[in-house]
Amino acid sequence: MLVILALAALIFAFPAFTALLTDWWWFREIGYEVVFTRELLTRSLLFLIVGAVTSVALYLNLWIAQRGRVASPVLIDVGPTVPQLDLTRTLRRVSLPASLVLGLLAGLGAAPAWDIVLQLINRTPFGTLDPVFSRDIGFYVFTLPGLSAALAFLSSLTIGCLVLLVPVYFVRGDIAVRPPLFHIGRSAGRHLATVLAAQLLLTAVRLWLVDVPNLLYSSTGPLIGASYTDLMARLPALRLSAIVAVAAAALVLVGGLRGRLVRYGFVAVGGYLVVVFLGRGVFPQVMQKFVVAPTELTRETPYLRYHIAATRLAWGLDSVEVRELTVDSSLTLADIRANAPTIENVRLWEREPLLQTFGQLQEIRTYYDFVSVDDDRYWIDGRYRQVLLSPRELNPASLPTRTFINEHLTFTHGMGLTLSPVNQVTTEGLPVLFVKDLPPSSNVSLRVTRPQIYYGELTDSYAFVGTRQREFDYPSGEENVYAAYRGSGGVRVGSLWRRLLLAVRFGSSNILFSQDIVNDSRVLYNRNIKVRVAKALPFLRFDRDPYIVIAADGTLKWILDAYTRTDRYPYAKRLDDGTSYMRNSAKIVVDAYDGSLKAYVSVPGDPLIRTWARSFPGIFIPMDSMPADLRAHVRYPDDIFRIQAGLYTTYHMQAPEDFYHREDQWQIPVGDSATGAVPFMRHIIMRLPDEKAAEFVYMVPFTPRGKDNLAAWLVARNDGAEYGKLRVYRLSRQSLVFGPTQIKNRINQNTDISRQVSLWDQRGSQVIRGDLLVIPIEASLLYVQPLYLRAEGGRIPELKRVVVAYQNQVVMSETLDGALTELFGGSAGPRSQAGPAVAAVSGGTPLGGAEFQATVAEARQRYQSALQAQRAGDWARYGEEIRRLGELLERVGAGGPPRQR
């Protein structure tokens, strides 16, 4: 029997041991051993301490309860041939095993609280006091959760003892039912009185040390935090309840000593419950209804002020720089040219259409996938350009033959990326590709020297490198090119014993028996970058959108934004998950080739990141140590910007009266996309008002709640020393500035645009409306919307028109420059350097009459498009291009504008 139990334990324990040991190898590979060891040590100590205390306490109480002989033991008939079962003796025998099992369960339940313990030990003060009790915020974030958990454990333990003791004493006859009351023996009464008094004392401590501070998280009034009723009614009631609980504990002890536990206990517990009911239930409700509600604003004004200040501080809204902006209605061509960097980087390509186009043009093989498209900026050929790029990752699920060798030894990595400027298209309406093909080639100053992607967003499976099988690198025509892994990533396979552990870890016997895997082979696992950083830094939360960067040496690096968070910031507004404080405190860089991981502290003043840095010394690096070529690509993260923008719609109002009435509340306008309604939030390169140079910003407009006109716009700055700064431009409330919804309606009402869209729809093509872009120029606003066309049954959207709106004017043209020319006259900027096959957003410099030059340039493009259609045998398109060329020639001759289609 013992042998069977030992084998069963081994079968269940061996996989856990395997996972633990292979995790240790992985943490050692990335240099984060301290995270593994300290988490494991803290978990183990919690398990041992809580388990031991629970087992000892339970067994000691059961031993005390079962001392001495039982005059009338409870005997149970089991069967005619089996001796009667002495229940009291059986209980005595199972006391120790039961205590050990319950201790084991308690230890397992306590182990996940390792992070609370480490934060308590290594806590860092916030340097900010709460407005009610004048305690440092660090007490609520670090100390209070640990104190609450400890008291909850002790209370659970005393309740558990009572639950076990009562039936034991009942079976032994020390508790008897003698109507109208229970009879409890003197020894049993003293024991139960001691345990019950301990529970009441723990309740008093919890009320005084935990429940009182927790009032600062109340949601009683029109805010999060202690309200008038909480501080004037509930706070005195909690303190009175604590005093009554201490008195009740003393009364219970006296009753136990006098042998009258039932009577004294009933009075003590009943009195405490009456105080709780009246003081913490009835009294606060009466005060709220008859004192606070009739004059709520007057009563709650100080606490509203606390709530607003705490929310702004907790969410970083207190540092938002406010600028007043008087909208200028006289935007001229000179203003457009003065903001050429903004115009040259207007984002005409949206992520979803571009992702589909990349997939059709650049996946090359079925087993490559583009997962997402990211915004970024680079200095390209001496110009600051906004680009969209997407890594080409390997998707093992799409391999033509899915075998162990193919999935884990041969096809091990993705290859390169595709990069396109946001504002250029070919004459066919397709994106211009700066970096493309396999192996990646570039026609600009960017170069990719190490394109292999072993770690990415799709790489969920493990891979072996350095095996006897050749690694597929990329296809070249009908041939395949192979390469060997030269990086330092991965865990060495080594001995047969290590092979066995790896085979158990990954559930594949092929690892154990494969002749292709040798001792010097390395296994790469936890290759999904989100899984990788979450495992390495389990105490951080990560942004939903990691992005890839081309470093100065041509290597590929992933950057992930990491957050510290807590749900314990007093008085601060909470999210749906309870979060009341968040900071983007770290930037995590993962090498796409070798998986090396570095964590840079981006907010060194954050007490949470400082606490974790003390808990795990050596894993965080100052932001100043990040290479300059990577630091040039850090950006304000999406998740926290969305949260801050949403909160700022309300919390820009700092006066309690305004906040209470919501008289100036804003909202974020939403637009339509293929995935549903999305907020108008965009990365753009632009020159902010009062600034000299264009910069990469994350921008969101605001409209008044329930209205469509523009009220303000918020930007998060990303470049250089300005990184991380938030600035809001407030528009005058006395002037009307059209908002995105109003502009969208004006576009839909334009007859020329509606006619052209209807014509495309009648031909069976699908018109895709791009995002409406809000482009601040000086003290004015331009709205730009690209229109894409996708043939029926096709999968490649083509950019066909650009709509530009300014004030009451709406125009549509084939290029942005053409639309700006029609609005303001003349060309918007310098000719693009993309080559003759490119229709750039910035047309040629005017030579003589600006309108004449624009018409000639458009005619030339039509002629080239017609020739390409002729060569491709696309006669329908050829006829359309010739027809439009004729219209342009008529315009040159007659001086009239061509009809929009």
Side-chain angles (χ1 to χ4, degrees):
M1 184 64 180
L2 291 176
V3 174
I4 295 175
L5 290 176
L7 287 174
L10 181 62
I11 291 172
F12 283 106
F14 187 67
F17 168 76
T18 299
L20 188 68
L21 188 56
T22 52
D23 277 347
W24 163 248
W25 295 343
W26 182 81
F27 275 96
R28 191 170 56 182
E29 173 214 339
I30 63 173
Y32 278 45
E33 301 97 318
V34 65
V35 176
F36 179 88
T37 54
R38 293 214 172 177
E39 179 183 344
L40 180 62
L41 178 62
T42 308
R43 284 179 177 271
S44 301
L45 288 176
L46 272 176
F47 170 78
L48 293 174
I49 292 171
V50 171
V53 169
T54 301
S55 297
V56 170
L58 293 177
Y59 181 70
L60 181 62
N61 278 276
L62 290 173
W63 179 78
I64 292 173
Q66 297 179 93
R67 290 178 302 168
R69 298 186 52 150
V70 179
S72 301
V74 178
L75 302 177
I76 300 176
D77 291 327
V78 180
T81 60
V82 180
Q84 289 181 313
L85 178 66
D86 187 343
L87 187 57
T88 55
R89 181 177 299 176
T90 302
L91 288 175
R92 187 180 294 114
R93 289 176 179 175
V94 301
S95 294
L96 180 59
S99 300
L100 293 175
V101 170
L102 292 174
L104 174 67
L105 295 176
L108 291 173
W114 63 272
D115 53 342
I116 295 177
V117 173
L118 286 180
Q119 287 188 92
L120 177 62
I121 295 173
N122 299 285
R123 60 190 179 275
T124 304
F126 274 65
T128 303
L129 304 181
D130 80 82
V132 176
F133 302 115
S134 297
R135 290 191 177 104
D136 187 89
I137 301 298
F139 167 80
Y140 299 92
V141 175
F142 303 124
T143 305
L144 190 57
L147 184 61
S148 178
L151 289 174
F153 162 67
L154 293 175
S155 294
S156 300
L157 186 57
T158 55
I159 292 173
C161 289
L162 285 173
V163 170
L164 292 177
L165 290 175
V166 170
V168 167
Y169 277 123
F170 183 81
V171 169
R172 291 175 59 85
D174 293 310
I175 297 179
V177 179
R178 295 178 183 174
L181 295 174
F182 289 98
H183 170 75
I184 301 178
R186 182 174 294 272
S187 176
R190 291 175 180 174
H191 188 190
L192 291 174
T194 303
V195 177
L196 181 58
Q199 175 59 34
L200 289 169
L201 288 175
L202 287 172
T203 300
V205 173
R206 177 179 56 79
L207 288 170
W208 199 276
L209 297 183
V210 176
D211 289 1
V212 167
N214 276 339
L215 285 175
L216 301 192
Y217 308 110
S218 171
S219 56
T220 301
L223 52 96
I224 299 297
S227 64
Y228 182 91
T229 300
D230 291 319
L231 296 182
M232 300 303 166
R234 285 192 172 84
L235 177 59
L238 284 172
R239 289 174 173 168
L240 177 62
S241 298
I243 295 171
V244 171
V246 173
L251 190 60
V252 166
L253 284 176
V254 171
L257 293 174
R258 293 184 176 182
R260 299 179 179 179
L261 176 60
V262 174
R263 181 174 301 174
Y264 280 69
F266 179 79
V267 172
V269 176
Y272 172 76
L273 292 178
V274 168
V275 170
V276 169
F277 175 73
L278 295 178
R280 294 160 59 187
V282 175
F283 180 47
Q285 291 183 10
V286 171
M287 177 173 284
Q288 181 68 28
K289 184 174 182 179
F290 296 104
V291 178
V292 176
T295 56
E296 187 176 51
L297 178 57
T298 302
R299 302 284 185 182
E300 302 290 7
T301 291
Y303 313 109
L304 281 171
R305 189 174 288 110
Y306 297 159
H307 171 66
I308 295 169
T311 299
R312 289 173 60 86
L313 187 61
W315 290 102
L317 304 181
D318 60 314
S319 60
V320 175
E321 180 186 2
V322 180
R323 297 280 183 94
E324 299 296 332
L325 189 65
T326 302
V327 177
D328 188 356
S329 60
S330 58
L331 192 63
T332 65
L333 179 62
D335 295 324
I336 298 295
R337 287 176 172 170
N339 289 270
T342 301
I343 298 299
E344 292 173 6
N345 288 285
V346 172
R347 198 174 87 177
L348 299 182
W349 281 107
E350 295 301 327
R351 292 187 179 189
E352 288 302 319
L354 192 61
L355 184 63
Q356 297 175 32
T357 303
F358 281 175
Q360 293 300 307
L361 300 180
Q362 284 290 303
E363 281 184 359
I364 312 296
R365 293 289 188 272
T366 58
Y367 40 79
Y368 287 125
D369 269 347
F370 291 104
V371 179
S372 62
V373 175
D374 292 309
D375 286 275
D376 209 342
R377 71 282 195 198
Y378 288 84
W379 283 95
I380 299 175
D381 296 330
R383 298 167 63 191
Y384 197 43
R385 304 293 300 272
Q386 184 174 348
V387 300
L388 292 165
L389 68 163
S390 182
R392 185 185 292 104
E393 296 199 52
L394 181 75
N395 185 358
S398 299
L399 288 173
T401 306
R402 298 188 63 183
T403 64
F404 173 79
I405 291 177
N406 275 352
E407 289 192 48
H408 303 293
L409 276 68
T410 301
F411 292 90
T412 56
H413 58 271
M415 190 66 178
L417 52 79
T418 298
L419 182 146
S420 173
V422 296
N423 63 326
Q424 289 183 264
V425 296
T426 67
T427 53
E428 292 82 12
L430 300 176
V432 173
L433 303 180
F434 282 171
V435 180
K436 59 183 179 180
D437 299 339
L438 291 174
S441 62
S442 171
N443 54 18
V444 293
S445 55
L446 289 177
R447 294 289 182 271
V448 179
T449 59
R450 195 173 66 187
Q452 292 83 3
I453 301 176
Y454 283 86
Y455 299 84
E457 295 182 83
L458 269 183
T459 48
D460 292 322
S461 62
Y462 60 93
F464 285 89
V465 295
T467 67
R468 291 172 179 164
Q469 283 287 333
R470 294 187 301 171
E471 283 186 62
F472 173 80
D473 203 27
Y474 60 89
S476 178
E478 298 299 324
E479 302 294 330
N480 290 331
V481 177
Y482 295 87
Y485 182 72
R486 304 297 181 189
S488 58
V491 172
R492 186 173 179 271
V493 173
S495 64
L496 182 63
W497 164 246
R498 291 168 67 95
R499 268 205 201 203
L500 174 62
L501 294 178
L502 291 171
V504 174
R505 166 67 184 257
F506 300 117
S508 175
S509 60
N510 290 318
I511 298 174
L512 185 61
F513 299 113
S514 175
Q515 298 299 312
D516 294 317
I517 300 175
V518 297
N519 289 347
D520 289 332
S521 298
R522 306 181 73 83
V523 57
L524 316 180
Y525 52 105
N526 295 327
R527 295 198 297 149
N528 183 291
I529 54 172
K530 292 182 180 180
V531 174
R532 190 173 187 83
V533 296
K535 191 173 186 66
L537 302 165
F539 44 86
L540 298 179
R541 175 186 290 186
F542 297 93
D543 195 85
R544 75 183 80 180
D545 187 22
Y547 55 100
I548 201 164
V549 170
I550 305 174
D553 59 357
T555 58
L556 301 179
K557 312 282 187 180
W558 291 97
I559 298 181
L560 296 91
D561 287 285
Y563 303 106
T564 50
R565 60 163 297 276
T566 182
D567 57 1
R568 304 296 300 176
Y569 201 101
Y571 268 108
K573 174 70 174 179
R574 301 176 195 160
L575 303 182
D576 291 339
D577 65 354
T579 302
S580 56
Y581 171 95
M582 180 184 286
R583 290 291 184 273
N584 173 218
S585 295
K587 306 284 186 180
I588 316 300
V589 177
V590 180
D591 192 294
Y593 187 73
D594 61 27
S596 59
L597 188 151
K598 294 183 179 179
Y600 297 93
V601 176
S602 53
V603 186
D606 173 34
L608 284 167
I609 201 67
R610 292 168 62 191
T611 295
W612 289 121
R614 293 175 63 181
S615 301
F616 304 104
I619 65 171
F620 289 106
I621 308 170
M623 192 71 175
D624 294 340
S625 301
M626 178 182 282
D629 59 322
L630 295 181
R631 191 163 185 176
H633 294 283
V634 297
R635 68 187 190 194
Y636 205 88
D638 182 70
D639 285 353
I640 195 170
F641 185 69
R642 289 174 181 268
I643 295 170
Q644 289 176 314
L647 290 173
Y648 198 76
T649 59
T650 301
Y651 289 90
H652 71 277
M653 298 179 288
Q654 299 186 56
E657 296 83 0
D658 296 341
F659 182 89
Y660 181 83
H661 295 300
R662 301 292 201 270
E663 64 177 37
D664 190 26
Q665 188 170 7
W666 298 340
Q667 64 187 12
I668 300 173
V670 297
D672 299 328
S673 75
T675 56
V678 295
F680 280 92
M681 294 185 178
R682 302 293 180 265
H683 288 95
I684 59 175
I685 288 179
M686 63 171 289
R687 183 171 67 84
L688 296 174
D690 303 326
E691 298 294 336
K692 295 181 179 179
E695 55 186 288
F696 189 62
V697 300
Y698 200 4
M699 182 247 190
V700 57
F702 296 125
T703 61
R705 185 181 63 173
K707 297 183 179 180
D708 294 329
N709 59 289
L710 206 64
W713 45 280
L714 174 71
V715 293
R717 307 175 72 179
N718 291 276
D719 291 348
E722 306 302 323
Y723 171 79
K725 295 181 180 179
L726 300 176
R727 180 184 293 179
V728 65
Y729 290 90
R730 298 175 59 107
L731 306 181
S732 173
R733 299 174 68 176
Q734 280 68 46
S735 60
L736 175 65
V737 180
F738 289 137
T741 301
Q742 293 169 319
I743 294 296
K744 184 172 64 175
N745 293 335
R746 296 184 70 86
I747 292 174
N748 292 336
Q749 294 166 4
N750 184 277
T751 55
D752 290 335
I753 297 175
S754 299
R755 186 185 308 117
Q756 180 65 76
V757 171
S758 298
L759 180 61
W760 280 331
D761 286 337
Q762 290 171 6
R763 294 176 178 177
S765 299
Q766 179 187 4
V767 178
I768 303 173
R769 295 178 180 267
D771 293 337
L772 183 64
L773 306 175
V774 185
I775 312 295
I777 303 289
E778 299 297 341
S780 299
L781 292 173
L782 280 179
Y783 287 90
V784 178
Q785 184 178 46
L787 298 181
Y788 309 95
L789 191 64
R790 183 166 55 199
E792 185 177 8
R795 299 181 64 184
I796 303 180
E798 299 178 1
L799 178 60
K800 288 300 182 183
R801 294 291 188 275
V802 179
V803 179
V804 177
Y806 173 63
Q807 295 184 349
N808 293 320
Q809 305 174 70
V810 178
V811 299
M812 181 176 70
S813 180
E814 294 191 1
T815 65
L816 175 60
D817 187 63
L820 294 174
T821 297
E822 190 168 341
L823 271 177
F824 302 104
S827 177
R831 180 178 296 277
S832 169
Q833 303 299 315
V838 174
V841 297
S842 303
T845 304
L847 301 173
E851 187 176 3
F852 175 80
Q853 290 295 326
T855 304
V856 171
E858 190 173 354
R860 185 181 297 110
Q861 292 173 8
R862 290 296 177 198
Y863 176 71
Q864 294 295 332
S865 295
L867 291 180
Q868 292 178 5
Q870 183 185 41
R871 287 192 292 268
D874 188 350
W875 299 110
R877 184 168 144 233
Y878 173 81
E880 176 70 11
E881 297 293 346
I882 290 297
R883 183 185 63 77
R884 293 189 181 183
L885 177 60
E887 289 182 353
L888 291 170
L889 293 176
E890 288 177 6
R891 175 182 173 183
V892 173
R899 296 188 303 272
Q900 289 286 0
R901 293 190 179 276

